[in-house]
Amino acid sequence: MNDNRRKHRRNPDHMVGVLDVMTEALVGRIGNLSETGMLIQADQPLVDDGIYQFRFALHDIDGSRHAFEVGAHHLWSEAASSPDQSWVGFRFIDISPDDAQRLREWVLADGHPDYDVYSSVT
């Protein structure tokens, strides 16, 4: 089994929109995030095996809002229960080191046993 599938995932506690950076169009909403990828509920068809540049914003541990920009590879999709929507899985292929660390902290802050707030804050 691929180790990326075993990564801890976190569901946002509020709706987090995902924008296509190239078109500035809202693509959908995050279902869950790991440090290596995400599941979104897409409102429009996306290209199978396509490469995308996305932007989304999360609240950091201190409550401030941070915008993440990631390159993502479309891995799979399946129809959602709502018409014209689908669930789509992405693997991150490009993320800045700072954003990767922030995302890891955000994911693990959800009560994960590997998370120690004192060792993660620098």
Side-chain angles (χ1 to χ4, degrees):
M1 177 179 256
N2 185 341
D3 284 342
N4 287 335
R5 297 280 304 150
R6 295 182 184 194
K7 293 287 186 188
H8 182 72
R9 291 171 171 72
R10 180 175 174 190
N11 300 334
D13 57 4
H14 63 284
M15 188 175 75
V16 177
V18 177
L19 290 174
D20 181 320
V21 172
M22 303 305 284
T23 64
E24 290 296 320
L26 181 66
V27 174
R29 289 158 301 290
I30 292 177
N32 66 49
L33 281 165
S34 75
E35 61 187 276
T36 60
M38 66 181 170
L39 171 71
I40 69 169
Q41 185 173 23
D43 296 326
Q44 57 184 288
L46 297 171
V47 177
D48 289 344
D49 201 33
I51 304 295
Y52 292 88
Q53 188 73 24
F54 291 131
R55 184 180 311 121
F56 57 87
L58 299 171
H59 293 283
D60 281 339
I61 295 167
D62 65 3
S64 63
R65 189 173 160 98
H66 178 76
F68 293 81
E69 198 162 300
V70 299
H73 176 218
H74 178 287
L75 298 176
W76 60 269
S77 61
E78 65 180 50
S81 58
S82 301
D84 300 324
Q85 291 185 332
S86 60
W87 291 106
V88 185
F90 289 94
R91 174 179 55 97
F92 296 145
I93 57 173
D94 185 40
I95 184 170
S96 75
D98 179 57
D99 279 357
Q101 179 62 32
R102 284 176 184 253
L103 184 57
R104 182 175 192 279
E105 290 174 1
W106 184 87
V107 169
L108 294 179
D110 188 32
H112 190 272
D114 291 342
Y115 182 70
D116 176 358
V117 68
Y118 299 106
S119 66
S120 297
V121 177
T122 56

